[in-house]
Amino acid sequence: MEIQVWASLLGVVLGGLLSYLAQFTTVRVAARNEEKRQAAQRAEARRSEQLEPLREFITITQESIRIAEERDQAPDWDAAGTPEWFAAARAPSTASGWPSDDRPGLVPSGDVPARPGLRDGG
């Protein structure tokens, strides 16, 4: 009779231990999955935050290139350097919040000398 008591007690302890392990494992797996989901959300948010300034920069750069090409395609290089052209050249960078004065060389300020050899095929 004593063996039956010990056997049933051992069965209860073993069942409780297996139940605890199953719950512990389930909680760990659920927590791990939640961490992965949150990490994926953070990565996606970070990615979209990084892409937005790049898209804006590309838009501004394309506009600046278009304006520079308009000047380059003008019949006379010096005639294209009018105040209106300078205002148009500065407009894409200042309208979007990108500083134009901090980027020398991208937006001309003042008279730009003619490029030697460009028009004469050299």
Side-chain angles (χ1 to χ4, degrees):
M1 179 103 165
E2 194 173 307
I3 293 178
Q4 287 180 343
V5 172
W6 282 109
S8 61
L9 186 59
L10 182 64
V12 168
V13 169
L14 204 59
L17 182 63
L18 289 176
S19 176
Y20 172 77
L21 286 175
Q23 288 178 356
F24 180 74
T25 304
T26 303
V27 168
R28 264 184 52 197
V29 168
R32 221 181 275 152
N33 287 340
E34 180 65 21
E35 286 177 13
K36 286 180 184 178
R37 186 188 63 78
Q38 287 178 352
Q41 281 181 337
R42 282 192 306 270
E44 181 61 30
R46 196 175 318 121
R47 180 180 174 272
S48 66
E49 286 175 2
Q50 291 172 346
L51 283 179
E52 187 56 37
L54 287 176
R55 286 185 181 123
E56 186 177 346
F57 175 76
I58 289 170
T59 302
I60 292 168
T61 304
Q62 288 173 339
E63 181 68 17
S64 299
I65 290 171
R66 183 191 62 77
I67 290 171
E69 286 177 352
E70 284 178 3
R71 180 176 183 174
D72 192 41
Q73 293 170 1
D76 182 18
W77 174 260
D78 294 328
T82 62
E84 292 82 18
W85 183 88
F86 287 123
R90 285 189 180 97
S93 59
T94 57
S96 65
W98 287 87
S100 61
D101 293 338
D102 294 343
R103 300 181 299 159
L106 290 180
V107 179
S109 58
D111 293 332
V112 178
R115 295 180 284 183
L118 184 68
R119 297 289 180 197
D120 58 13

